[in-house]
Amino acid sequence: MLDIEVYFERYCKEHDLEIALSWEMPEGYETAFGSFDPTRRTLFLNKSLLRTAPEEEALFYLYHELRHALQYLRPELFDQQVQTSRFYVVLYNGVCYKLVDNTWKMCVLTGDTEYFKAAYLSLPYELDANVYAYQAVREIIGNTTALRELASAWTPANPLPAEELERLFCLIDKSID
């Protein structure tokens, strides 16, 4: 397995980030490769999944989550769409979260799984993290077919327009009040 911790520490030093790394995924995220929780300032990585993942995949998920850390902790480096969207999480099953006063508030929306999947993939902070991860990993291992396919898998074929995401954010806001 790659020495993920070396890449993690290098990134944190280069970007002046003080965050923790945990190999224990939080409850509900056991099937995810990784997650960053700004309320705990912790980047979680799924060691069991990453141990068997190809190099480009392990690095992609690491840099994706590191980008999220930067988005949350240094929002001034990002455009307004990323800054606004980073407070919202949309899962494929309609479970949604909003970060309010350093606390995640949850709601459940009804709707089509494909819609929620498109919404998740279209979130500006997710688009940014995926593009960044692709570029960072490409610099390390080259522009391999496997890396291009991985990045493509996380790129929405038909991203939701900004107006639709704004409507969804308003619905989440109303649902958590």
Side-chain angles (χ1 to χ4, degrees), residues 32 37 52 65 74 84 88 101 111 116 120 127 145-147 151-153 163-164 177:
D37 186 346
T52 58
E65 297 307 331
R74 298 299 244 324
T84 300
Y88 296 90
D101 296 326
F116 291 122
Y120 167 77
L127 291 168
T145 300
L147 177 60
S152 178
E163 301 78 28
E164 179 59 25
D177 288 339

Side-chain angles (χ1 to χ4, degrees), residues 11 15 17 19 35-38 41 43 63-89 99 104 120 123-133:
Y11 184 92
H15 294 88
L17 288 178
I19 59 174
S35 181
F36 177 73
D37 186 346
R41 295 181 69 102
L43 192 148
Y63 280 101
H64 177 97
E65 297 307 331
L66 284 168
R67 185 65 165 197
H68 284 327
L70 197 63
Q71 292 166 341
Y72 281 107
L73 302 176
R74 298 299 244 324
E76 69 278 2
L77 299 176
F78 299 91
D79 67 27
Q80 192 59 49
Q81 287 184 318
V82 170
Q83 288 184 37
T84 300
S85 67
R86 71 193 163 101
F87 294 111
Y88 296 90
V89 173
L99 186 60
W104 288 108
Y120 167 77
L123 291 166
Y125 73 95
E126 289 295 344
L127 291 168
D128 174 76
N130 288 325
V131 168
Y132 178 80

Side-chain angles (χ1 to χ4, degrees), residues 165-177:
L165 289 174
E166 184 60 37
R167 188 190 72 72
L168 179 59
F169 296 161
C170 288
L171 188 58
I172 292 169
D173 291 345
K174 289 177 186 173
S175 297
I176 64 168
D177 288 339

Side-chain angles (χ1 to χ4, degrees), residues 120-165:
Y120 167 77
L121 291 173
S122 299
L123 291 166
Y125 73 95
E126 289 295 344
L127 291 168
D128 174 76
N130 288 325
V131 168
Y132 178 80
Y134 168 72
Q135 292 170 344
V137 177
R138 185 180 64 196
E139 291 295 317
I140 297 168
I141 67 167
N143 196 17
T144 66
T145 300
L147 177 60
R148 287 191 306 275
E149 289 173 354
L150 179 61
S152 178
W154 291 106
T155 303
N158 298 303
L160 296 182
E163 301 78 28
E164 179 59 25
L165 289 174

